[in-house]
Amino acid sequence: MVAALREARHVVVLTGAGVSAESGVPTFRDAQTGLWARYDATALATPDAFRADPALVWGWYEWRRAAMMRAAPNPAHHAIAALAKQVPALTVITQNVDDLHERAGSAGVVHLHGRLMQPRCFQCGTPWRYPVGIPDEPEGGRRVTPPDCPRCASPIRPGVVWFGEGLPADEWQSALAAAAGCDLMLAIGTSAMVYPAAELPQIAVNTGALLVQINPQSTSLDGIAHWNLPGAAGITLPALLHTAFADGMNETA
Ligand SMILES: [Zn+2]
């Protein structure tokens, strides 16, 4: 497998919730704890939920955004950024909505499920910028009134893909092209359960790529992966890359 990685011309790294979880970012399910335990995901992560109660939904995402901003990239994020300097081409595709890949130094990350840091108008789609800094905990409860769109005065919505919504078309096309064009895919910390993102490893394998899975748990990819590396991404991935590119990774570590 080390040889395959060394010889690969185009590597795709597909990351899922496990990679964020190793930084302490609550995953979607984990985020429904504490204050939010009694809410169902469908009451918080759908267009209908936002229409019905924008302050409740915005409050939940502000709480998640604060947790994300307090978290830092982990050794897996850093290893992925360093890998870009070792192979001729690398595409990072993530199911995560945080910005930890960017903060580790990865460029051109394909965000299949949107980005927490890129909210936009619910009505007209005009992008909106958060004020600098980590948001405060909502006072006295959960609800935070979303800001108004400067163009049409409709509420600003989180920049993530909700249940019942399609993936961003450009990102999905980029992901499909990368999956079909790569010669090696690393699927890291993804349970490969959420479609259509879960199709990407299958597409890569179908078009002749080698698939390496890194995950502490067994997943639906176990059967199609050429190599399954159990364990935490933050330990397994740096070790793998160090073996494959010992000299270069020392320089960039
Ligand atoms: Zn608007």
Side-chain angles (χ1 to χ4, degrees), residues 121-126 149 151-154:
C121 175
F122 186 61
Q123 206 61 45
C124 75
T126 299
C149 173
R151 227 168 100 189
C152 76
S154 297

Short mmCIF file of all heavy atoms in Angstrom, two decimals, residues 121-126 149 151-154, ligand 1:
data_model
loop_
_atom_site.label_atom_id
_atom_site.label_comp_id
_atom_site.label_asym_id
_atom_site.label_seq_id
_atom_site.Cartn_x
_atom_site.Cartn_y
_atom_site.Cartn_z
N CYS A 121 -28.53 34.23 2.41
CA CYS A 121 -29.94 34.58 2.58
C CYS A 121 -30.83 33.38 2.26
O CYS A 121 -30.63 32.69 1.27
CB CYS A 121 -30.30 35.75 1.67
SG CYS A 121 -32.06 36.15 1.71
N PHE A 122 -31.81 33.14 3.11
CA PHE A 122 -32.74 32.03 2.92
C PHE A 122 -33.56 32.23 1.64
O PHE A 122 -33.93 31.26 0.98
CB PHE A 122 -33.68 31.95 4.13
CG PHE A 122 -34.59 30.76 4.13
CD1 PHE A 122 -34.09 29.47 4.16
CD2 PHE A 122 -35.98 30.92 4.12
CE1 PHE A 122 -34.93 28.37 4.16
CE2 PHE A 122 -36.82 29.82 4.12
CZ PHE A 122 -36.29 28.54 4.15
N GLN A 123 -33.80 33.49 1.28
CA GLN A 123 -34.66 33.79 0.15
C GLN A 123 -33.88 34.00 -1.15
O GLN A 123 -34.11 33.32 -2.13
CB GLN A 123 -35.48 35.06 0.46
CG GLN A 123 -36.78 35.15 -0.28
CD GLN A 123 -37.71 33.98 0.07
OE1 GLN A 123 -37.86 33.62 1.23
NE2 GLN A 123 -38.29 33.37 -0.94
N CYS A 124 -32.93 34.93 -1.11
CA CYS A 124 -32.28 35.33 -2.37
C CYS A 124 -30.87 34.76 -2.52
O CYS A 124 -30.25 34.92 -3.57
CB CYS A 124 -32.28 36.85 -2.53
SG CYS A 124 -31.08 37.71 -1.48
N GLY A 125 -30.35 34.11 -1.48
CA GLY A 125 -29.05 33.45 -1.61
C GLY A 125 -27.84 34.35 -1.47
O GLY A 125 -26.71 33.90 -1.59
N THR A 126 -28.06 35.63 -1.22
CA THR A 126 -26.92 36.55 -1.06
C THR A 126 -26.03 36.08 0.09
O THR A 126 -26.52 35.82 1.19
CB THR A 126 -27.43 37.98 -0.76
OG1 THR A 126 -28.22 38.41 -1.85
CG2 THR A 126 -26.26 38.94 -0.53
N CYS A 149 -31.02 39.71 5.73
CA CYS A 149 -30.30 39.90 4.47
C CYS A 149 -30.25 41.40 4.15
O CYS A 149 -31.27 42.08 4.19
CB CYS A 149 -31.03 39.15 3.35
SG CYS A 149 -30.37 39.47 1.71
N ARG A 151 -29.97 42.70 1.39
CA ARG A 151 -30.61 42.99 0.10
C ARG A 151 -32.12 42.90 0.17
O ARG A 151 -32.83 43.74 -0.37
CB ARG A 151 -30.07 42.02 -0.95
CG ARG A 151 -29.66 42.72 -2.23
CD ARG A 151 -28.88 41.79 -3.12
NE ARG A 151 -29.72 41.24 -4.17
CZ ARG A 151 -29.33 40.28 -4.98
NH1 ARG A 151 -28.13 39.75 -4.84
NH2 ARG A 151 -30.13 39.84 -5.92
N CYS A 152 -32.63 41.83 0.82
CA CYS A 152 -34.09 41.62 0.76
C CYS A 152 -34.73 41.50 2.14
O CYS A 152 -35.92 41.28 2.23
CB CYS A 152 -34.41 40.39 -0.08
SG CYS A 152 -34.10 38.82 0.76
N ALA A 153 -33.93 41.63 3.19
CA ALA A 153 -34.44 41.63 4.58
C ALA A 153 -34.99 40.28 5.03
O ALA A 153 -35.53 40.18 6.13
CB ALA A 153 -35.49 42.72 4.79
N SER A 154 -34.82 39.23 4.24
CA SER A 154 -35.19 37.89 4.70
C SER A 154 -34.12 37.39 5.67
O SER A 154 -33.01 37.91 5.69
CB SER A 154 -35.27 36.92 3.51
OG SER A 154 -36.27 37.33 2.61
ZN ZN B 1 -31.91 38.16 0.56
#
